[in-house]
Amino acid sequence: MKNIISLLLLIILFQSCTEGTEKSNTDTTAELIENTETGLTTAVRIEGDSTWSIEERMKHYGIPGVSVAVINNGKIVWAKGYGIMDRESRAPVTSQTLFQASALSIPVSAYAALRMVEQGKVSLDENINSYLQSWQLPDNEFTKEKKATIRNLLNHSAGINLHATPGYSTDSVIPTLIEVLDGTPPAKNEPLAVNKEPDESYYISYPGYGIIQQMMIDVEEREFPEIMNDLVLQPLGMTNSTFNPSLSQEQITRAATAYLADGNMVKGKRFVNPVLASGGLWTTPSDLAKFIVHLQQTLKGKGDRVLSKEMTELMVTPHSISSYGPGSEYGLGIQIFKRKDETYLRHWGWNRGFYAEMIAHRHKEHGVVVMTNSTFPEFNAEVIRAVAGAYKWRNYVPVHSRVEVEQSLVDQITGRYQADETQVEVFQENNLIFIKSIQQERTEELIPISDNTFVRRNASRLIQFKPATDNEGIKLFYLDRNDESIISTLAKVDGGNNESGN
């Protein structure tokens, strides 16, 4: 009898502890959501600065709807919608609302292409024309020595001439993929061609993924949406995603309406891009978060692997230097960038009426996806930083304390600085220091964080001043925030008026 009573007491105690733990976890998640929703901030945070709420910034930019999914410890910990998916119906955005992913289609398409490589159907380094049956990439003087390959097209080093091709309203005549590749009506773009030797340079070419799309169609001998469903969407459980440009009636009821930056609705509620591989995905942040989690789990050698760990590692290995500058590189369909010693995987998508962005840590199991039915990248970045702050992502958002500097230093550094065509003016106004870009007519506050180093709230680069010597005058350095290496140098060309910005 004593044993039975003891066992019952243990069961009651266990249930009590479990219930307490569940409540604690719920409270913690609720707090983290609240911290995210009220923690939007500038690119560089200054101690003492206030933050914004999601609702405040949606109103500031005029964004109708937003959907967010957050990953922590290898799991999707919460997903939530804000605002409305359509201004006429006033239907709210939920975690099930569909958004056009635009170029966020690229990493998903690259994953499918790598599956075909792993299946032995194609080779990364074979001439792409070896697999194309319905269309051929024209040979010219730039392809005499090197041919464009799948690897080149995936990492944007194929030398393709076009950065993007237009989308088409739903009531217009929509060109076929072949017509887009050939640049023939009703397509509105030039023909795709190679205008630089493959491997010579990095140039983002969304239409280059149209060549990947045609290769997959020719090799598989079936439609692209079906291929993508079988190779990626279904195996990864992305059940709210499709590459089919013709949505079902049920999907249409969940599809967000696209809005331009001026607030006007996109004609027909959305545009169609025949290059589905780089702009055809309809999805939710939760489904893209599933994609991210799967990459992270595979890289750690955990979970059910659809693509091998070795091939996934190749996907996230830098192959090209990104146009985003130091600390930013491009793998096979995904950007890799640094925050000091932390490595992140990223991609973005921007089309007529939608902007989306995803960020995930390369080695740690956290990340976030933010999708909107308007086009304000700054807002998405603010939400991402709010998540990074709430979940304490190391080194993601720089935080600095303002220090006082001697007026004598301010007097020394005010004036105009120049290097080639770049010209800026440093001036003081109301006891604050500002820097004005003469060409861009943009003025920002310079916040001192040491005797000679300054930051700006909306720019990642540090600014440092080198005092004048007997041999040379004062210099202004732009420094990379990761390693403080010098990116560019401007020399002071004249003195300045401390109370001027004109």
Side-chain angles (χ1 to χ4, degrees):
M1 187 68 180
K2 288 183 178 180
N3 289 339
I4 294 173
I5 293 172
S6 298
L7 181 60
L8 288 171
L9 288 172
L10 283 172
I11 291 171
I12 292 168
L13 181 62
F14 174 77
Q15 288 176 334
S16 175
C17 290
T18 303
E19 288 169 4
T21 302
E22 288 174 352
K23 187 176 188 302
S24 174
N25 288 339
T26 302
D27 289 345
T28 300
T29 300
E31 289 171 1
L32 290 168
I33 293 173
E34 183 180 0
N35 291 342
T36 297
E37 292 175 337
T38 59
L40 281 67
T41 183
T42 51
V44 175
R45 179 86 187 275
I46 307 302
E47 292 280 7
D49 279 1
S50 59
T51 58
W52 305 294
S53 71
I54 286 180
E55 286 78 9
E56 285 174 330
R57 297 309 274 174
M58 287 175 68
K59 184 177 180 180
H60 170 80
Y61 291 111
I63 295 172
V66 182
S67 189
V68 181
V70 174
I71 302 161
N72 194 46
N73 294 326
K75 296 179 181 178
I76 303 171
V77 290
W78 61 271
K80 192 173 177 180
Y82 304 85
I84 54 176
M85 55 184 278
D86 182 90
R87 284 189 170 132
E88 291 180 1
S89 70
R90 309 298 297 177
V93 173
T94 72
S95 60
Q96 302 300 305
T97 301
L98 296 174
F99 291 79
Q100 281 187 346
S102 186
L104 271 181
S105 309
I106 283 178
V108 183
S109 298
Y111 188 95
L114 292 176
R115 284 210 68 195
M116 291 178 64
V117 172
E118 199 155 73
Q119 290 169 353
K121 295 178 179 179
V122 294
S123 169
L124 272 176
D125 299 309
E126 183 69 32
N127 181 355
I128 187 66
N129 280 336
S130 300
Y131 305 113
L132 292 167
Q133 304 299 320
S134 307
W135 179 86
Q136 291 275 290
L137 181 62
D139 280 321
N140 57 27
E141 66 270 27
F142 299 106
T143 60
K144 285 181 180 178
E145 300 298 324
K146 291 184 177 180
K147 306 296 184 182
T149 66
I150 293 174
R151 188 191 302 270
N152 292 141
L153 292 163
L154 293 181
N155 67 24
H156 299 297
S157 67
I160 301 299
N161 58 324
L162 300 181
H163 169 63
T165 53
Y168 298 84
S169 62
T170 52
D171 63 353
S172 65
V173 179
I174 298 170
T176 65
L177 177 60
I178 297 294
E179 288 169 337
V180 171
L181 297 175
D182 278 333
T184 56
K188 300 175 183 178
N189 56 274
E190 297 177 11
L192 265 69
V194 177
N195 66 357
K196 288 185 179 180
E197 186 176 290
D199 285 327
E200 179 184 317
S201 61
Y202 167 89
Y203 177 71
I204 292 178
S205 174
Y206 301 128
Y209 269 71
I211 302 174
I212 291 290
Q213 178 179 336
Q214 191 59 55
M215 176 275 294
M216 294 172 70
I217 292 170
D218 287 344
V219 171
E220 291 283 342
E221 297 182 336
R222 50 193 178 133
E223 295 299 315
F224 185 73
E226 181 186 351
I227 298 169
M228 292 303 300
N229 188 64
D230 289 349
L231 292 181
V232 186
L233 305 183
Q234 189 274 330
L236 271 58
M238 298 171 67
T239 54
N240 283 315
S241 301
T242 182
F243 275 87
N244 194 330
S246 300
L247 298 179
S248 69
Q249 193 56 46
E250 187 276 331
Q251 289 169 331
I252 288 174
T253 63
R254 294 191 289 117
T257 298
Y259 291 91
L260 303 174
D262 63 8
N264 288 318
M265 184 183 77
V266 169
K267 185 180 179 182
K269 294 193 173 186
R270 60 195 66 91
F271 267 30
V272 176
N273 190 338
V275 184
L276 301 176
S278 62
L281 177 63
W282 281 93
T283 190
T284 65
S286 294
D287 265 18
L288 284 173
K290 289 179 183 178
F291 179 78
I292 290 171
V293 168
H294 187 82
L295 289 183
Q296 292 173 322
Q297 294 286 310
T298 301
L299 290 168
K300 285 185 169 292
K302 300 191 299 187
D304 297 325
R305 298 172 216 169
V306 177
L307 194 66
S308 71
K309 181 182 179 184
E310 293 73 22
M311 191 64 79
T312 306
E313 287 175 340
L314 184 65
M315 182 179 181
V316 301
T317 298
H319 289 74
S320 308
I321 301 298
S322 168
S323 56
Y324 287 90
S328 178
E329 299 171 297
Y330 205 86
L332 299 179
I334 201 158
Q335 184 193 10
I336 302 104
F337 73 97
K338 294 278 191 179
R339 286 285 187 265
K340 292 191 178 294
D341 57 347
E342 305 290 330
T343 304
Y344 284 88
L345 309 176
R346 172 184 183 257
H347 218 285
W348 61 95
W350 187 344
N351 66 9
R352 196 167 179 80
F354 290 97
Y355 184 79
E357 193 166 344
M358 69 179 193
I359 297 279
H361 200 283
R362 164 64 175 81
H363 303 287
K364 301 171 185 176
E365 297 175 299
H366 57 246
V368 60
V369 183
V370 183
M371 307 188 81
T372 65
N373 58 344
S374 192
T375 53
F376 292 93
E378 301 92 340
F379 172 80
N380 294 57
E382 290 169 6
V383 176
I384 291 167
R385 288 193 291 267
V387 172
Y391 286 85
K392 298 182 174 15
W393 294 3
R394 186 170 173 269
N395 292 329
Y396 193 85
V397 181
V399 180
H400 299 284
S401 296
R402 183 192 296 267
V403 302
E404 297 295 326
V405 293
E406 297 291 335
Q407 184 60 42
S408 58
L409 172 64
V410 179
D411 294 339
Q412 286 182 53
I413 65 176
T414 53
R416 291 201 174 206
Y417 296 79
Q418 187 168 349
D420 299 324
E421 299 300 316
T422 302
Q423 191 176 78
V424 301
E425 180 182 4
V426 176
F427 64 95
Q428 186 180 36
E429 188 171 285
N430 297 326
N431 295 319
L432 298 175
I433 307 166
F434 296 89
I435 185 167
K436 177 180 179 180
S437 169
I438 305 302
Q439 287 84 358
Q440 299 175 356
E441 298 184 350
R442 184 180 71 242
T443 300
E444 300 171 282
E445 184 186 356
L446 282 181
I447 299 103
I449 59 172
S450 75
D451 287 342
N452 66 344
T453 304
F454 296 75
V455 295
R456 297 158 292 165
R457 288 183 175 87
N458 290 304
S460 60
R461 294 175 179 177
L462 304 173
I463 289 180
Q464 196 171 84
F465 294 92
K466 180 181 178 183
T469 64
D470 293 337
N471 299 322
E472 56 185 11
I474 295 176
K475 284 188 167 57
L476 181 157
F477 299 105
Y478 287 98
L479 306 180
D480 178 67
R481 78 171 179 185
N482 288 322
D483 58 9
E484 299 192 11
S485 59
I486 296 174
I487 297 172
S488 60
T489 305
L490 282 69
K492 190 174 183 183
V493 292
D494 63 31
N497 181 346
N498 279 358
E499 295 297 328
S500 169
N502 303 317

